[in-house]
Amino acid sequence: MLTGGSPAAAAAAPAGDLSRLPGSSSGVGAGDPDPTHPKRQLRGVWIASVSNIDWPSAPGLSAAQQQTELVALLDAAVRMRMNAVYLQIRPAADALYDSPYEPWSQYLTGTQGQDPGYDPLAFAVAEAHKRNLELHAWMNPYRVSTQPDPNQLVPTHPARVHPDWCVEYGGELYYNPGVPAVLDFDVQVITDVASRYDIDGIHFDDYFYPYPVGTADFPDDATYATCGAGFPDKATWRRANVDKLVSTLQRELRAVKPWMKWGISPFGIWRNQATDPLGSATNGLQSYDALSADTRGWVQKGWLDYVAPQLYWNIGFPPAAYDVLVDWWSKTVDGTGTQLLIGQTISKIGISSPPAWLDPNEMPNHLILNRKYPEVAGDIYFNITKLLTDPLGFETRLITDLYEYPALVPEMPRHCGPAPDRTALTEARPSAAGTRLQWLNLRRRHGVEAAYYAVYRFDGHPPQSACDFADAKNLLGTVRAVSGLFNGWTDASAVAGNQYTYHVTALDRLHHESETSNPQVVG
């Protein structure tokens, strides 16, 4: 779960009107696009499986019911003009996929280790890509169980086979990050998923060493005595354990699939300025100290493709203000090559404390404020179930205003490379369903292939020099590439009798966009 920790509650002033902040946009073509609708923007949503928060909605549903539910969630993501989903596939040292190392998750069938009758991750990847959504595999590295009794795990569970890997803390079971075999096992499990499934990325949330429970310390004194030689104190050793996992995965995932994204969504505060002059002007839990997670260090050392801090507080919140932290994280990633996404909470919309969350403009103002910072490449929302309840009209606001037009996923600084060759738009003709388009799907033995295509439409018959391909209002949408010499799509929004000019571009898995195709005019 991406609930994170939270500083002590405090009142906050109303956010005010942020609708006139400047913004930025990038893409093929020139011009002066509307800054309120960038053409390049990551729009993601978390789909949590732990405790059946989002999907499946309950344990024990049939395979068909589970598949129907997931398809509905993916369709909802498309309706909201999202372009990425982060699906939790390893909530607690278990698997929502066919794993050779860990048991099937109890959140699928109600019984840990029971085969659900299909491979949920393979199904999810196929359905997400059919809708041209990125599918990121969200995995938890250390949580073993949300209950404390190892005997409730299946006998073949690695935590029972290797009881020395596991400790109980705060009523839950965890793999001990200080045990070297745990790191090796985690890397083995995660790289296995990366190598066998056509996912777009590996994703962690904010759980490393567990959030503190009262005054009790995580019970790893014996492990520190055995493995902590050379470290000045246990806190430094703990951070080194997590650092090693993050840096090892950066190296190993790059070796498995160089184009795959690797990112983490940590707790929003690294350290407070009162503790460390490099920290933020906040007064809350510090991930560096409480979770042994040196999130700023990971960014500075280039161990992540992106970081998505969970900034789950309102603008002006005294202990941890959203605006203060967006500014701090933007400066932290600047010049590092690490992409910045913002983790947004939907769960607070409409709550009365602090009262800022009763304002229907609070969350929209987060997105508007982000436009002030070119480092912010987009947002990920927790969670999809709450978002689909349209709290204070936010889902409606996304569809009708903030995400009024489609957006391409931004390119990543660490994943540079050439774009695919331009395609040829071979047909544009009226049909009963709209305008039917067809273009060449060039498959290459060498070089960059198109993973999907972007379709642009302009009113009338303007010369290509007057077509602004950087303006999102001219982007109709994207279409996943399929096998065959030709690919196609129908523009159902075309009005019969109107004249339109269409262009198509080709994009690869890392969203490098080709030059535009030849135009085709209809009407």
Side-chain angles (χ1 to χ4, degrees):
M1 295 168 59
L2 277 88
T3 53
S6 175
D17 181 9
L18 302 180
S19 61
R20 298 186 181 278
L21 286 174
S24 62
S25 181
S26 62
V28 170
D32 184 22
D34 180 357
T36 64
H37 296 101
K39 195 188 88 168
R40 292 274 189 172
Q41 185 178 47
L42 190 286
R43 301 170 178 176
V45 63
W46 279 294
I47 301 176
S49 59
V50 66
S51 303
N52 298 103
I53 290 174
D54 292 317
W55 179 80
S57 63
L61 300 180
S62 69
Q65 288 173 317
Q66 291 178 18
Q67 292 172 356
T68 298
E69 283 191 350
L70 184 58
V71 164
L73 293 178
L74 297 176
D75 284 342
V78 171
R79 185 177 68 250
M80 292 183 285
R81 301 188 183 91
M82 302 288 179
N83 49 34
V85 293
Y86 296 77
L87 178 65
Q88 191 173 33
I89 66 159
R90 191 200 190 202
D94 54 6
L96 276 82
Y97 64 97
D98 189 7
S99 172
Y101 303 110
E102 295 180 309
W104 287 105
S105 176
Q106 65 183 10
Y107 303 119
L108 291 169
T109 63
T111 302
Q112 189 175 73
Q114 183 175 327
D115 190 331
Y118 75 113
D119 188 326
L121 180 55
F123 177 81
V125 169
E127 292 297 319
H129 287 173
K130 188 185 299 182
R131 292 158 178 80
N132 204 40
L133 294 165
E134 284 195 339
L135 192 289
H136 296 252
W138 168 17
M139 308 179 78
N140 190 292
Y142 298 125
R143 182 170 57 204
V144 171
S145 177
T146 56
Q147 57 79 39
D149 184 5
N151 293 317
Q152 291 190 27
L153 306 175
V154 293
T156 56
H157 196 291
R160 291 192 61 182
V161 176
H162 304 280
D164 53 311
W165 292 5
C166 194
V167 295
E168 185 274 333
Y169 179 71
E172 298 188 353
L173 291 173
Y174 295 91
Y175 284 135
N176 185 344
V179 175
V182 166
L183 181 143
D184 294 339
F185 181 69
D186 265 346
V187 171
Q188 184 179 46
V189 167
I190 293 164
T191 55
D192 168 66
V193 171
S195 64
R196 290 194 296 118
Y197 291 88
D198 191 26
I199 55 177
D200 296 284
I202 294 290
H203 178 82
F204 283 179
D205 60 0
D206 56 322
Y207 289 104
F208 296 96
Y209 277 82
Y211 281 90
V213 179
T215 59
D217 191 25
F218 187 76
D220 59 354
D221 284 346
T223 311
Y224 175 53
T226 302
C227 303
F231 293 93
D233 50 51
K234 187 161 65 172
T236 304
W237 169 74
R238 284 178 174 175
R239 279 190 295 275
N241 294 331
V242 180
D243 279 357
K244 189 173 183 181
L245 175 64
V246 173
S247 61
T248 300
L249 283 172
Q250 190 271 342
R251 181 182 67 249
E252 295 299 321
L253 291 174
R254 190 69 69 247
V256 171
K257 287 179 180 173
W259 50 263
M260 182 175 291
K261 298 177 182 179
W262 159 230
I264 293 176
S265 179
F267 183 74
I269 299 172
W270 171 68
R271 299 191 96 184
N272 300 311
Q273 202 170 74
T275 304
D276 189 319
L278 296 175
S280 51
T282 52
N283 183 27
L285 179 142
Q286 305 173 115
S287 65
Y288 181 90
D289 303 274
L291 309 179
S292 304
D294 184 9
T295 55
R296 180 182 180 274
W298 304 339
V299 170
Q300 296 291 317
K301 295 169 183 173
W303 292 345
L304 301 174
D305 293 321
Y306 69 88
V307 64
Q310 296 173 33
L311 305 189
Y312 287 3
W313 306 287
N314 58 272
I315 295 170
F317 184 59
Y322 179 87
D323 45 322
V324 168
L325 283 162
V326 167
D327 184 80
W328 185 87
W329 279 102
S330 295
K331 292 173 180 173
T332 295
V333 304
D334 187 26
T336 66
T338 303
Q339 188 180 74
L340 176 60
L341 308 174
I342 304 297
Q344 305 280 6
T345 178
I346 304 301
S347 301
K348 288 187 177 179
I349 298 177
I351 67 172
S352 59
S353 179
W357 289 106
L358 292 172
D359 181 357
N361 289 317
E362 175 61 35
M363 184 60 75
N365 279 344
H366 289 202
L367 308 190
I368 294 166
L369 177 63
N370 289 356
R371 298 175 192 152
K372 182 180 178 181
Y373 298 94
E375 296 85 3
V376 178
D379 302 85
I380 313 174
Y381 301 93
F382 183 80
N383 62 348
I384 194 169
T385 299
K386 182 64 182 291
L387 180 56
L388 293 177
T389 67
D390 197 22
L392 297 184
F394 180 64
E395 180 195 8
T396 298
R397 181 80 179 270
L398 278 181
I399 295 170
T400 61
D401 176 15
L402 298 162
Y403 290 175
E404 182 180 1
Y405 305 116
L408 303 180
V409 174
E411 298 176 16
M412 281 195 157
R414 293 212 176 91
H415 292 276
C416 58
D421 291 338
R422 68 195 293 263
T423 185
L425 185 53
T426 59
E427 183 179 69
R429 59 178 173 79
S431 71
T435 300
R436 180 62 184 170
L437 305 176
Q438 181 178 275
W439 56 86
L440 283 173
N441 179 39
L442 302 176
R443 314 305 290 174
R444 302 176 60 184
R445 291 188 177 184
H446 306 286
V448 180
E449 287 194 351
Y452 66 100
Y453 297 92
V455 180
Y456 296 85
R457 187 183 75 188
F458 302 88
D459 291 334
H461 187 195
Q464 185 154 337
S465 60
C467 294
D468 189 354
F469 294 95
D471 193 332
K473 73 180 181 182
N474 298 317
L475 175 64
L476 281 183
T478 61
V479 186
R480 197 77 178 183
V482 295
S483 60
L485 179 60
F486 296 100
N487 276 199
W489 181 73
T490 298
D491 174 15
S493 68
V495 177
N498 285 10
Q499 187 179 63
Y500 302 110
T501 298
Y502 292 92
H503 291 264
V504 175
T505 60
L507 296 96
D508 66 4
R509 288 289 293 261
L510 291 167
H511 313 286
H512 302 119
E513 187 172 22
S514 74
E515 295 299 316
T516 59
S517 72
N518 57 297
Q520 287 279 358
V521 181
V522 172

